[in-house]
Amino acid sequence: MNTAGHSEATERQGLELTPFRGLRYDPDRVGSLAAVTSPPYDVVVRPDGLHHLQAADPHNIVRLILPQAPTPETRNAQAAATLTRWRAEGILTADPEPGLYVYEQRDGEGLLQRGVIGTLRVSDPSEQVVLPHEDVMPHLVADRADLMRATSANLEPLLLTYRGDSTTTTAGVVERTAEKPPLLATTTEDGYRHRLWSITDPTDLTTVTTDLARHQALIADGHHRWATYRRLRAEHPSPSPWDHGLVLLVDTARYPLRVRAIHRLLHQLPVPDALTALKGRFRVRRLDTSLPQALSALAEAAEESNAYLLAGDGTFHLVDRPDPDLLARTVPADRPAAWRTLDATVLHATLLDHIWHLPEDSPAHIAYIHDTAATVEKAEQDGGTAVLMHPVREELVRDLARQGVTMPRKSTSFGPKPASGLVLRVLDL
């Protein structure tokens, strides 16, 4: 490693965002832009969601971010070959000059989100520039690293947030840019409308990069990919293209994100067995009601104590009011009280580890799913247990991150997430 370069990097402060030549689908070569996009790789619900996207268009981005083949090596080689072929055929083409990109998302309920896509200098948590708030699973980092090495590309942007103020000048550039005709506009099947613009004017680029250098960011979505960026940066002597990674930065003072929970599907634990193990340790109530009503009951219970909904046997079971002595014995005491009382903390330390004896990092035992109804449906199909969670407030997430305290893995789902496939970054441009 270039020690001098690393030392210089650690002295820098704030976000260092740089323009890049985006790689984008040629709309004249694909059926529609909506048909080639995808949610981020970890939101695609396998196998149904993956098969649906593959069938939507032969050039759908899932063929790059989630290639399908018998072994990891052949999957990654397939993704690399596909990317090379699509570039050679003009399916994906590079923009003529480097720039930053303004990205807008709207839904049918009045939500509007705008942010800036660029390549961000990769930093370590000790620098307090990019704040992680969740732990990561090593096997997922290794998987993403293998894919990025094979393709020499950042195939989808991470979602980072920062808090602007009255002196933030990036907002003015973003709003002025959004008044111009976009590079692309499309509506995906989830009802979201997406628009993308490029910023290439030197004055605007300087305004944005100078302004962002005053800020720090919170990782809203993409902890595993950020950890992958850090791993790949460490593998390549600086300076190199791996010093930067593709991100979307959103000012949540101007555009607040929605925060949703990520649910757990326990493949090998039937609901009756899960409930039996909880007797005398948590209060358990059966709810013969609809999913929306059950979620309302969960939200009410979560105001008073740790609370979860268990499903998979055709009904719902509200689990709350854990035994305080049990929590004292099972939850680590070396973290702030706000961390010790998180639903995700109690789930992992008390329920998964102590009561159900399930390895949290084993895909054979636990799946992490964003969609509530899909989690319940899969549990009913597989004979497993769905554990439905209540979302955490963004303020709490940010406060813990600033203290350097990471939450249990997959604790939150910030959104809306950027669609994958609208702009890619390849390292040879």
Side-chain angles (χ1 to χ4, degrees):
M1 174 178 290
N2 185 327
T3 306
H6 181 71
S7 175
E8 178 185 342
T10 58
E11 294 174 2
R12 299 172 183 157
Q13 300 295 321
L15 301 167
E16 187 178 315
L17 195 69
T18 58
F20 70 107
R21 288 182 66 193
L23 191 70
R24 298 187 294 111
Y25 281 100
D26 182 343
D28 295 330
R29 299 297 306 277
V30 296
S32 74
L33 289 175
V36 296
T37 64
S38 163
Y41 81 99
D42 58 340
V43 180
V44 177
V45 180
R46 297 192 193 206
D48 300 337
L50 180 62
H51 293 161
H52 172 72
L53 290 166
Q54 286 179 325
D57 191 283
H59 301 109
N60 190 282
I61 191 68
V62 294
R63 297 180 187 274
L64 298 182
I65 63 175
L66 287 172
Q68 299 299 291
T71 68
E73 293 77 15
T74 52
R75 284 198 298 270
N76 296 327
Q78 177 179 292
T82 300
L83 177 58
T84 299
R85 185 175 71 254
W86 288 357
R87 292 179 68 183
E89 294 174 352
I91 303 299
L92 291 168
T93 60
D95 284 330
E97 58 182 319
L100 301 175
Y101 295 83
V102 171
Y103 175 47
E104 175 189 279
Q105 293 164 279
R106 292 178 183 264
D107 69 3
E109 302 174 0
L111 179 140
L112 169 63
Q113 178 175 291
R114 289 178 180 148
V116 178
I117 296 175
T119 63
L120 186 68
R121 181 181 69 86
V122 178
S123 58
D124 294 323
S126 60
E127 297 181 56
Q128 290 281 293
V129 174
V130 175
L131 304 174
H133 70 267
E134 288 184 358
D135 293 331
V136 297
M137 290 174 269
H139 74 278
L140 290 181
V141 175
D143 174 76
R144 289 295 100 182
D146 289 341
L147 179 63
M148 288 190 202
R149 283 192 209 95
T151 57
S152 290
N154 301 150
L155 299 171
E156 46 187 348
L158 284 62
L159 175 60
L160 306 185
T161 72
Y162 68 100
R163 301 288 293 178
D165 53 35
S166 59
T167 65
T168 299
T169 51
T170 297
V173 175
V174 168
E175 302 309 314
R176 288 198 311 274
T177 302
E179 294 174 357
K180 302 174 183 177
L183 291 174
L184 65 84
T186 189
T187 301
T188 46
E189 65 179 7
D190 58 6
Y192 276 91
R193 290 174 290 165
H194 307 262
R195 295 199 295 171
L196 190 77
W197 298 261
S198 63
I199 305 173
T200 56
D201 178 80
T203 300
D204 286 342
L205 290 174
T206 299
T207 296
V208 172
T209 56
T210 302
D211 179 40
L212 291 176
R214 303 184 299 113
H215 294 282
Q216 65 179 182
L218 175 74
I219 301 176
D221 186 67
H223 282 82
H224 289 89
R225 284 167 286 165
W226 183 256
T228 301
Y229 288 172
R230 292 180 55 223
R231 174 180 292 192
L232 294 172
R233 179 199 60 172
E235 293 175 0
H236 297 82
S238 184
S240 86
W242 297 105
D243 291 342
H244 291 73
L246 188 63
V247 304
L248 165 65
L249 279 163
V250 174
D251 178 358
T252 52
R254 193 173 185 87
Y255 299 107
L257 270 64
R258 292 171 175 167
V259 186
R260 293 188 170 95
I262 301 177
H263 310 296
R264 275 67 171 162
L265 173 59
L266 311 181
H267 296 295
Q268 301 180 30
L269 181 67
V271 172
D273 293 350
L275 295 175
T276 298
L278 295 177
K279 287 183 179 178
R281 295 166 162 175
F282 283 76
R283 181 175 71 168
V284 180
R285 289 174 286 166
R286 180 182 172 121
L287 305 178
D288 292 311
T289 184
S290 66
L291 176 57
Q293 291 173 318
L295 291 173
S296 295
L298 173 62
E300 184 176 343
E303 292 290 328
E304 299 181 2
S305 77
N306 300 113
Y308 315 89
L309 270 181
L310 270 55
D313 61 348
T315 188
F316 299 98
H317 306 270
L318 181 60
V319 175
D320 65 353
R321 297 188 184 179
D323 175 15
D325 292 336
L326 173 67
L327 297 185
R329 294 195 309 272
T330 58
V331 176
D334 59 346
R335 308 284 181 90
W339 180 89
R340 297 197 304 273
T341 55
L342 287 170
D343 288 337
T345 297
V346 173
L347 171 65
H348 285 258
T350 305
L351 288 166
L352 294 179
D353 187 34
H354 182 77
I355 295 178
W356 292 328
H357 306 293
L358 294 175
E360 60 178 311
D361 58 353
S362 169
H365 290 87
I366 302 177
Y368 298 83
I369 305 178
H370 295 72
D371 185 271
T372 308
T375 310
V376 175
E377 181 181 352
K378 285 184 174 295
E380 292 177 346
Q381 290 174 349
D382 301 344
T385 295
V387 181
L388 306 183
M389 310 281 288
H390 186 65
V392 181
R393 293 178 294 106
E394 180 186 355
E395 298 79 26
L396 176 58
V397 175
R398 193 177 295 273
D399 182 58
L400 286 172
R402 283 178 175 151
Q403 297 179 55
V405 178
T406 54
M407 301 168 67
R409 58 198 60 173
K410 299 294 183 181
S411 294
T412 59
S413 175
F414 285 88
K417 305 177 190 305
S420 299
L422 295 180
V423 61
L424 294 65
R425 178 211 180 200
V426 289
L427 274 63
D428 61 3
L429 287 176

